[in-house]
Amino acid sequence: MRIVFVGPPGSGKGTQAKLVQERMALQVIGTGDLLRGAVKAGTTTGRKAEQFMIRGELVPDALVNDIVAEFFRGTNPPNSFLLDGYPRNVSQAEYLDGVLSDCKLALTRVIFFVVTVDELIRRIDVRRTAENRPDDDAAAVRQRLTTYEQATRPVVDYYRKTGILVEIPAIGDVEAIHRRVIAELR
């Protein structure tokens, strides 16, 4: 299986990715992990990305794409995986499709976590309080949701056209949502 999780911040993608990893033994690939790995390995793209990371800036799409390509074209690419946090826009989705095609792979499923804005704000507020995450204040959350709607939400339409998108209601307790995810992956 080759899966992508898509959804707004606070929709439960990361939580569900951990559960899928534990229960289905799929490798979860997060772009943050790939970036840190490239920096640690001292690759050319890793050194370039590090300059943005040190300044607390977003790593440009071109560099993120290069790091994803290096990973999949590397010496030990995974055949089964779950991507969490990538692609974040249609350009990255198209790039990913090209890289996977070069590697004779294709995505098998894209899971879109559907949740209302009110529920997202409630969840993120709980997370901010419980995990002491100052980056989850109301203004930051609203900005991330705006960015999601402008850049990432079109990825849903992109994958809907391919026929591999499945919408999962991300409402209810974590286990209920997880049962929905597993049912779609089997």
Side-chain angles (χ1 to χ4, degrees):
M1 295 193 128
R2 292 172 292 278
I3 306 161
V4 168
F5 277 2
V6 178
S11 63
K13 298 179 305 291
T15 299
Q16 292 301 322
K18 288 176 189 169
L19 291 173
V20 168
Q21 181 177 33
E22 291 168 6
R23 295 185 183 164
M24 297 184 75
L26 276 177
Q27 180 179 357
V28 174
I29 303 166
T31 49
D33 296 332
L34 291 180
L35 288 167
R36 286 184 291 277
V39 168
K40 184 176 179 181
T43 67
T44 301
T45 50
R47 288 191 303 274
K48 289 177 185 175
E50 184 177 32
Q51 298 310 307
F52 293 93
M53 295 165 70
I54 288 170
R55 294 189 302 262
E57 298 173 4
L58 286 177
V59 177
D61 282 359
L63 280 177
V64 174
N65 287 343
D66 288 347
I67 287 171
V68 168
E70 286 175 359
F71 176 77
F72 281 107
R73 293 176 178 148
T75 57
N76 194 20
N79 186 43
S80 296
F81 57 84
L82 188 160
L83 278 168
D84 179 23
Y86 183 90
R88 290 190 183 268
N89 57 51
V90 172
S91 173
Q92 287 181 344
E94 292 169 342
Y95 188 84
L96 174 63
D97 286 349
V99 168
L100 292 178
S101 177
D102 291 348
C103 298
K104 308 283 188 269
L105 300 171
L107 293 174
T108 53
R109 185 79 70 218
V110 175
I111 303 289
F112 171 42
F113 292 88
V114 181
V115 62
T116 66
V117 172
D118 288 343
E119 176 64 10
L120 291 172
I121 291 171
R122 185 196 67 74
R123 286 181 187 179
I124 293 172
D125 190 51
V126 167
R127 182 174 75 183
R128 179 183 55 81
T129 304
E131 298 176 17
N132 193 24
R133 288 182 55 166
D135 63 318
D136 278 346
D137 71 16
V141 168
R142 291 194 192 289
Q143 180 57 47
R144 289 202 315 262
L145 290 174
T146 298
T147 300
Y148 165 79
E149 283 298 323
Q150 293 170 346
T152 307
R153 180 64 187 245
V155 172
V156 171
D157 295 328
Y158 173 84
Y159 283 121
R160 183 176 282 122
K161 292 175 187 171
T162 68
I164 61 172
L165 181 86
V166 174
E167 294 186 17
I168 299 285
I171 303 295
D173 67 60
V174 171
E175 276 304 314
I177 297 166
H178 188 63
R179 284 190 296 275
R180 291 179 205 128
V181 170
I182 295 300
E184 289 298 337
L185 295 180
R186 292 217 163 136

